[in-house]
Amino acid sequence: MGLDGIELVMEIEKAFDIRILDVEAEKIRTVGDMYNSVWKHLESRHSNQCNTQILFYRFRRYFIETFHLPKDLFHSHTVLNDIFPQENRRSQYIIMQHAISLKLPKLALTKPWEILLESVGWISILGGLLFSIILKSIFSYNSWIYLIPLTGIAITLLLSASLTSKRTVIQPSLIRDFTNKILALNYSTITRGIGTNRKEVENVINHIIVDKIGVDLEELSPEKSFTDDLGVD
């Protein structure tokens, strides 16, 4: 694997608090190879305890006690955006993060604001690049003109920062996926002194791959090659 592969390995090392040697990383070709490599470092901590289940019950208890949600409404296919209060959602989300002492996924923009941000980004960056090409080709400006697209990047970043208050969408929204995401973000902390199991390790690796590469979870299987099947450079 190339630079993208190196970044993926580093992210996995960070998640599991392990060190994969370069000679070992060079032999990782498939998703299954990654499973095996990580498990070699963790099998001594094997436990039959299901940390995903423990985390699920922890969240359920929080929602029942804090938002007085009926127990039967909180299950693996519950949509978080439907049960999490809309009023003061950002502050309530931060309070929840402190209460459970775990890192939570960042809130996302609602669809209209997301479309606006993406549109401004594409128009300002590509427009700046096109303008630079025209000035260079027709009017013989020097190569410094190609810095114009950086202005578009700056505008996009500033707009993104200004839209912080509009980020109120919980992603992933299903309780099942949200719990798995929390586990991936906090794995070394959650499993410290408790132990882990192979299935859970593979699940966390899958979520890290999805986040870093941008593929769908359904595309992942042990025999998939990072370079040939998943497009990792």
Side-chain angles (χ1 to χ4, degrees), residues 5-199:
I6 292 172
E7 289 183 6
L8 177 60
V9 170
M10 290 173 64
E11 193 68 26
I12 288 174
E13 287 179 323
K14 180 181 176 183
F16 292 101
D17 193 21
I18 61 175
R19 175 75 172 92
I20 299 175
L21 298 177
D22 291 344
V23 66
E24 186 180 356
E26 289 170 2
K27 297 176 182 177
I28 297 174
R29 297 285 184 269
T30 66
V31 174
D33 291 339
M34 185 68 80
Y35 294 161
N36 293 333
S37 179
V38 173
W39 186 243
K40 272 193 244 179
H41 294 269
L42 300 175
E43 58 183 337
S44 62
R45 308 182 210 169
H46 180 266
S47 168
N48 291 323
Q49 184 167 270
C50 181
N51 293 299
T52 307
Q53 187 178 56
I54 292 171
L55 194 54
F56 170 83
Y57 289 135
R58 189 171 173 181
F59 272 116
R60 187 174 71 176
R61 185 168 60 252
Y62 180 85
F63 272 80
I64 291 171
E65 293 176 355
T66 306
F67 303 125
H68 308 292
L69 184 76
K71 187 176 180 179
D72 60 343
L73 291 183
F74 195 98
H75 51 77
S76 61
H77 288 87
T78 298
V79 178
L80 268 172
N81 286 299
D82 290 343
I83 65 171
F84 203 102
Q86 290 286 343
E87 187 176 357
N88 299 319
R89 175 173 286 188
R90 288 188 59 81
S91 58
Q92 288 282 0
Y93 195 74
I94 294 171
I95 290 170
M96 182 172 75
Q97 179 168 255
H98 289 305
I100 63 176
S101 300
L102 292 173
K103 183 179 180 182
L104 300 182
K106 293 180 180 179
L107 293 171
L109 289 170
T110 56
K111 205 63 183 177
W113 290 109
E114 181 183 359
I115 293 172
L116 172 65
L117 181 61
E118 289 180 354
S119 299
V120 169
W122 282 110
I123 292 171
S124 60
I125 296 171
L126 292 181
L129 179 60
L130 180 61
F131 185 58
S132 299
I133 292 172
I134 292 173
L135 291 179
K136 174 69 175 175
S137 303
I138 299 178
F139 300 104
S140 301
Y141 277 72
N142 63 41
S143 297
W144 286 101
I145 202 69
Y146 288 117
L147 292 177
I148 289 179
L150 293 178
T151 304
I153 295 174
I155 290 172
T156 305
L157 291 174
L158 286 172
L159 177 60
S160 179
S162 70
L163 292 175
T164 297
S165 63
K166 306 298 181 182
R167 300 181 189 276
T168 57
V169 178
I170 301 172
Q171 290 185 343
S173 189
L174 284 183
I175 292 288
R176 178 194 61 197
D177 299 332
F178 187 78
T179 303
N180 285 324
K181 177 70 173 178
I182 300 300
L183 190 64
L185 287 172
N186 303 273
Y187 199 76
S188 61
T189 301
I190 292 171
T191 60
R192 189 174 296 128
I194 297 177
T196 186
N197 62 74
R198 170 100 185 201
K199 183 178 180 181

